Amino acid sequence: QDAKGRFLNCFKAPDVDTLLPVEEFLGKRMEDVLPEAMAAQSRFLIDRVVTTGDVVSSQYDLNMADGLHSYDLRMAPVGEGEVVSVIRDVTEARRSVTRLEESERRFRALFEESPVGLIIGDGSGRLLTTNRAMASLLGYAPTELAGKSFADITLPADVEGTRVVIANLRTGATRSERLEK
């Protein structure tokens, strides 16, 4: 694009969709072909790149024929009064992040509200977090247990058995263990 926002050229992969066919926007200003809010944001970014020489980035959503898509935009100066825009469709990545966040939220709710005492620890036997049921069972607040070692909450006679269980889990010798103390 030039400093006036006119589309000078477009290189795109064959499997990439654009808002309009390339021949319908080449040579035109972005205000003539883009939705108003998107054109205003693009105008701001182009002005900044042309004025400062900085590389800028932005994210935006756009309704395409098959639904809402999310994009990552980077603009950089090239030549006198021209910018190059690199646009990536990040729709699937954003959807994956949303699914992961939802899964984490569900796990966290199940973990926290479980009536069974649960501990998440690291491979060395350090307690990372406990739920309220476990903290209550042990006579602590959940925050007081974070960072303690399993040995701190285990009777001396049970420490070695617990150490073996943790080692088996850490090395993958087993995926699940049950231990009564």
Side-chain angles (χ1 to χ4, degrees):
Q1 290 175 278
D2 63 16
K4 295 178 181 171
R6 196 168 29 118
F7 293 97
L8 303 175
N9 212 332
C10 177
F11 301 100
K12 70 177 197 72
D15 62 335
V16 172
D17 289 329
T18 53
L19 183 61
L20 298 170
V22 173
E23 59 275 3
E24 289 185 28
F25 65 82
L26 278 183
K28 295 183 180 172
R29 291 177 326 118
M30 60 191 167
E31 288 86 358
D32 299 328
V33 295
L34 295 178
E36 187 177 335
M38 186 178 194
Q41 176 66 12
S42 294
R43 163 63 50 219
F44 171 79
L45 295 173
I46 287 173
D47 290 347
R48 183 167 166 206
V49 170
V50 170
T51 303
T52 66
D54 290 343
V55 174
V56 298
S57 62
S58 182
Q59 294 81 36
Y60 62 92
D61 293 326
L62 191 57
N63 280 315
M64 300 294 282
D66 63 344
L68 189 67
H69 281 248
S70 298
Y71 296 93
D72 182 44
L73 165 70
R74 302 266 192 273
M75 283 186 178
V78 291
E80 188 65 33
E82 294 181 357
V83 301
V84 63
S85 298
V86 178
I87 302 168
R88 291 184 321 124
D89 187 333
V90 294
T91 305
E92 281 309 310
R94 280 216 184 143
R95 287 178 183 157
S96 293
V97 167
T98 300
R99 286 190 301 267
L100 182 61
E101 288 170 345
E102 178 60 22
S103 177
E104 169 65 20
R105 187 196 62 71
R106 285 191 313 267
F107 168 78
R108 184 63 47 201
L110 286 169
F111 180 82
E112 292 297 334
E113 301 305 322
S114 174
V116 175
L118 300 170
I119 295 173
I120 297 176
D122 66 14
S124 68
R126 190 97 12 231
L127 310 182
L128 300 175
T129 188
T130 60
N131 68 353
R132 287 188 294 268
M134 179 58 79
S136 176
L137 178 72
L138 296 171
Y140 289 91
T143 56
E144 293 176 304
L145 290 168
K148 288 190 179 294
S149 165
F150 76 89
D152 296 334
I153 60 167
T154 303
L155 292 172
D158 293 330
V159 169
E160 186 54 33
T162 305
R163 193 179 317 276
V164 169
V165 165
I166 291 171
N168 287 340
L169 291 168
R170 184 180 56 242
T171 62
T174 182
R175 292 183 43 86
S176 175
E177 289 277 349
R178 182 180 180 101
L179 184 65
E180 290 188 29
K181 303 185 199 187

